[in-house]
Amino acid sequence: MNEVILELKKVIKRFSGVEVLHEVSFNLKPGEIHALLGENGAGKSTLIKIITGVHQPDGGEIWLNAHPVQFRDPHESRQAGIAAIYQELSLFPDLDVAENIFVGRQPTTNSGRIDWNRLYDEAGKLLTSLGVHLDLKQKTRQLSIAQQQMVEIARAFSINARILIMDEPTSSLTLNEVSDLFRLVRRLRDGGTSIIFISHRLEELFELADRVTVLRDGNFIDTKSLNEVSRDELIKLMVGRTISNLFPKQAANIGPVVLEVQNLSHNGLFENINFELHKGEILGLAGLVGAGRSNFWCGATRFRKNKNR
Ligand SMILES: Nc1ncnc2c1ncn2[C@@H]1O[C@H](COP(=O)(O)OP(=O)(O)OP(=O)(O)O)[C@@H](O)[C@H]1O
Ligand SMILES: [Mg+2]
């Protein structure tokens, strides 16, 4: 695994004259899962949008398979075998799974009509090869976020993507969905696809990724093999100071109760919720996806403003 499939050399990006990427370098090897890590605003999404042709760099070079390339738009990047899955999924909700996989590229008969038999046949084979079980004729608006991601991944593979980029794919998935996604991502990696994976969850990186590149304030900090770096070292690279300072405790002025909720329930959505909210307090309510947070974040942990996590 010594060769490099994709390389960014000293890439610079400015928005309205403000430089947000400062000579960032990055390289991706065939068949690796490479994580991008950095605090909010570090430049991760901007970097991948340069790789996918959404943004153009203001300096530096992109090399693909040892040749310099320029992607003027996402179409050109896709043509070169690079597919990206963003947090905002881009499926057509009223088309079904198979139609979404082949949208814009439907197989046609000799007379130029859509060859529906082939479309469903090829979509079925593709999903089987990826180990994904979905009803080909289901409208994608009826699918969970995790299932929609699977459709996007299948679409990426139907265009022979050799590089798959995933920007925080796990942020709204349940634990089971995350493990299904990881199984699929590993399968793709083992099939020779290179994957760039962004997540803020360090434990996910250690579970999934082979290497990690750390960005801080638009600067390249380091690239490490996940088996040669500790969690604390990664946090230090990411935030530029030791872990004890990651969430510095500050005094907060917590006042009297301004809202009190007692035994609040709503028909099957949530039950017996109790909490008090104080003036000047940030109250966090935690729970897994599906626990009912959207209806009423029904976790039981309370965090005081600025309290160490
Ligand atoms: N289209 C844009 N116009 C102007 N500034 C932008 C644009 N996109 C990003 N930025 C700025 O560039 C910097 C890097 O942002 P970016 O979204 O790449 O960070 P990120 O590492 O992906 O952060 P997060 O973890 O929050 O997703 C930030 O300061 C951001 O405000
Ligand atoms: Mg981002």
Side-chain angles (χ1 to χ4, degrees):
M1 276 223 320
N2 282 328
E3 51 203 300
V4 166
I5 181 169
L6 173 75
E7 187 166 12
L8 272 64
K9 301 182 180 183
K10 297 192 169 184
V11 163
I12 295 172
K13 180 65 193 170
R14 296 186 196 97
F15 289 115
S16 315
V18 178
E19 195 168 295
V20 299
L21 290 180
H22 321 291
E23 299 198 347
V24 172
S25 296
F26 171 82
N27 70 71
L28 183 67
K29 295 178 182 177
E32 77 163 337
I33 301 175
H34 195 133
L36 265 186
L37 184 66
E39 290 191 288
N40 294 116
K44 306 178 295 293
S45 297
T46 304
L47 193 72
I48 67 164
K49 285 178 180 168
I50 284 175
I51 299 172
T52 56
V54 173
H55 296 317
Q56 275 64 53
D58 294 302
E61 294 173 0
I62 305 175
W63 288 58
L64 187 66
N65 294 319
H67 296 289
V69 287
Q70 285 181 343
F71 301 131
R72 282 169 297 184
D73 55 40
H75 179 71
E76 288 191 355
S77 163
R78 268 197 302 275
Q79 293 282 95
I82 300 173
I85 293 163
Y86 298 101
Q87 261 185 288
E88 321 80 51
L89 298 171
S90 62
L91 299 177
F92 293 92
D94 291 316
L95 296 185
D96 68 24
V97 168
E99 289 170 307
N100 263 291
I101 291 174
F102 288 108
V103 74
R105 300 170 296 112
Q106 297 93 335
T108 48
T109 61
N110 288 341
S111 61
R113 300 212 171 145
I114 293 177
D115 187 340
W116 293 104
N117 288 337
R118 229 173 92 206
L119 185 138
Y120 286 102
D121 191 43
E122 288 184 12
K125 282 187 192 146
L126 183 67
L127 290 189
T128 305
S129 75
L130 294 174
V132 171
H133 306 286
L134 286 175
D135 176 357
L136 293 172
K137 297 206 169 170
Q138 190 161 24
K139 303 265 186 270
T140 55
R141 74 159 67 250
Q142 295 162 339
L143 301 179
S144 68
I145 299 284
Q147 290 170 322
Q148 292 182 37
Q149 278 182 350
M150 302 287 175
V151 178
E152 292 228 13
I153 292 172
R155 182 160 75 188
F157 277 82
S158 72
I159 58 168
N160 297 322
R162 303 307 298 149
I163 297 175
L164 179 66
I165 303 177
M166 310 186 84
D167 194 351
E168 301 203 41
T170 59
S171 54
S172 49
L173 303 190
T174 64
L175 288 179
N176 281 342
E177 290 170 339
V178 169
S179 76
D180 285 348
L181 177 71
F182 283 8
R183 203 173 309 125
L184 175 56
V185 170
R186 286 195 193 97
R187 190 172 175 144
L188 300 176
R189 187 255 319 263
D190 296 344
T193 306
S194 305
I195 290 139
I196 303 175
F197 181 86
I198 299 181
S199 170
H200 284 109
R201 300 179 188 165
L202 289 178
E203 63 279 14
E204 288 186 349
L205 304 193
F206 280 101
E207 189 186 333
L208 188 69
D210 302 301
R211 291 194 301 157
V212 56
T213 288
V214 182
L215 300 182
R216 191 196 317 143
D217 298 331
N219 293 294
F220 166 84
I221 301 298
D222 209 345
T223 296
K224 294 268 190 199
S225 206
L226 259 317
N227 53 25
E228 66 172 30
V229 69
S230 71
R231 189 176 183 280
D232 289 357
E233 282 164 336
L234 269 189
I235 292 173
K236 194 171 170 191
L237 291 173
M238 188 166 64
V239 301
R241 50 184 191 270
T242 52
I243 185 171
S244 59
N245 293 329
L246 187 56
F247 300 109
K249 189 166 168 59
Q250 295 168 6
N253 254 339
I254 306 295
V257 174
V258 289
L259 175 71
E260 186 171 356
V261 170
Q262 283 186 354
N263 299 325
L264 197 67
S265 303
H266 191 291
N267 270 348
L269 290 178
F270 51 84
E271 269 177 62
N272 292 331
I273 308 293
N274 295 282
F275 65 81
E276 288 173 354
L277 177 67
H278 292 251
K279 186 176 179 191
E281 179 183 56
I282 296 173
L283 179 68
L285 295 159
L288 290 175
V289 174
R293 295 173 310 170
S294 310
N295 297 313
F296 202 126
W297 279 24
C298 63
T301 315
R302 183 161 120 190
F303 301 99
R304 284 249 157 113
K305 187 178 182 186
N306 293 326
K307 191 169 175 183
N308 269 348
R309 284 214 263 177

